[in-house]
Amino acid sequence: MKIIAANWKMNGSVRFAEEFVSKINEVQTNHKVIVFPPAELLGQFQGFRYCLGAQNSAIASSGAITGESSPRILYDVGCRYVLVGHSERRTLFREDDKVVFAKWQEARNAGLIPIVCIGERRRRWDTLQKQLSRLRGQDLSQTIFAYEPVWCIGTGVTPPPEEIDDVLYFIKGLVGKQSPLLYGGSVTAENAKSILSVNNIDGVLVGGASLDIAGFSQIMQASV
Ligand code: PGA
């Protein structure tokens, strides 16, 4: 069993979410499926048979932080997972490793399982080491990691499977084997099977391709 996660980013609509839920509910899979819609659409997932997550959560669960999403309330509305430190958050909102750590901590306090995203710009593995430095030595039993090389996100480019395997092996060496490790960046219905066959992989985080319901259903059914 692998983890198949869908990050819609800031896409979708009420109508699309309704269609997605009704069609994906019909799809059988042995994998664990987690969907991360925009927070505004979480309410459309009543009756969804798979898992739900949020794309972001705040560094605190309550208080005076206008416009942020409380991890406690996200849990309350049905989320069990949250993405932390996605490269778009790190770049567009200048979230540094300190903020990522605070969000990881607060998400766990609220009962959410954080999926901590890490990724380097130019095949510089020391970046990954730096991004993980605060988390190393912590209790990572309820944490998932997603390796998403920045140069592969939304570009249609993926590293060769052997390279993905090498990086995942490197990351497991840093964080231990207890945390599931996903790959993300231009995963599609066409390449999902070969990526999911990589040795050290526990699943995939799918962005753009998760908005194509038929294609995402195929990824959910990839036999590995
Ligand atoms: P992509 O995005 O699949 O569209 O490359 C992946 C992600 O950002 O999680």
Side-chain angles (χ1 to χ4, degrees):
M1 187 199 73
K2 303 287 183 191
I3 296 170
I4 311 288
N7 173 14
W8 290 10
K9 312 196 179 191
M10 209 173 65
N11 298 299
S13 62
V14 169
R15 239 178 109 166
F16 176 75
E18 283 168 2
E19 187 189 345
F20 185 94
V21 169
S22 78
K23 292 200 170 142
I24 294 298
N25 271 354
E26 302 287 306
V27 181
Q28 306 284 339
T29 176
N30 295 325
H31 302 307
K32 183 175 192 73
V33 176
I34 313 167
V35 178
F36 296 84
E40 301 88 322
L41 295 176
L42 288 169
Q44 308 307 314
F45 281 75
Q46 301 289 338
F48 189 48
R49 63 186 283 196
Y50 297 108
C51 302
L52 200 53
Q55 295 175 16
N56 178 39
S57 62
I59 55 168
S61 269
S62 63
I65 318 183
T66 302
E68 278 289 271
S69 297
S70 150
R72 187 175 46 76
I73 301 174
L74 288 169
Y75 188 93
D76 216 18
V77 300
C79 290
R80 292 296 175 264
Y81 297 84
V82 63
L83 299 180
V84 176
H86 188 280
S87 86
E88 287 148 22
R89 303 286 319 171
R90 291 179 191 261
T91 310
L92 300 170
F93 298 94
R94 307 213 190 296
E95 288 187 4
D96 59 15
D97 297 330
K98 199 170 154 198
V99 169
V100 170
F101 182 77
K103 289 188 170 190
W104 168 81
Q105 213 162 23
E106 197 59 33
R108 292 193 67 223
N109 289 342
L112 295 170
I113 297 180
I115 300 189
V116 179
C117 304
I118 57 168
E120 86 293 359
R121 285 186 186 277
R122 291 188 204 92
R123 292 184 156 106
R124 293 280 310 262
W125 294 9
D126 52 336
T127 306
L128 306 174
Q129 206 156 6
K130 184 179 161 290
Q131 288 171 335
L132 291 169
S133 62
R134 276 172 206 265
L135 287 163
R136 289 177 69 188
Q138 301 289 331
D139 172 10
L140 298 174
S141 54
Q142 290 297 314
T143 299
I144 297 173
F145 288 94
Y147 168 58
E148 298 203 293
V150 178
W151 48 281
C152 296
I153 296 179
T155 58
V157 177
T158 54
E162 317 78 68
E163 187 176 327
I164 296 178
D165 191 35
D166 284 349
V167 185
L168 297 184
Y169 179 79
F170 174 74
I171 296 169
K172 288 211 165 169
L174 295 173
V175 296
K177 289 195 167 42
Q178 77 292 344
S179 305
L181 188 45
L182 316 183
Y183 166 82
S186 297
V187 176
T188 62
E190 289 70 40
N191 64 21
K193 192 172 154 61
S194 78
I195 292 176
L196 283 166
S197 306
V198 161
N199 220 357
N200 281 294
I201 208 165
D202 298 298
V204 284
L205 177 54
V206 187
S210 67
L211 296 160
D212 169 26
I213 297 176
F216 186 66
S217 310
Q218 279 178 40
I219 300 174
M220 282 171 62
Q221 292 174 307
S223 57
V224 277

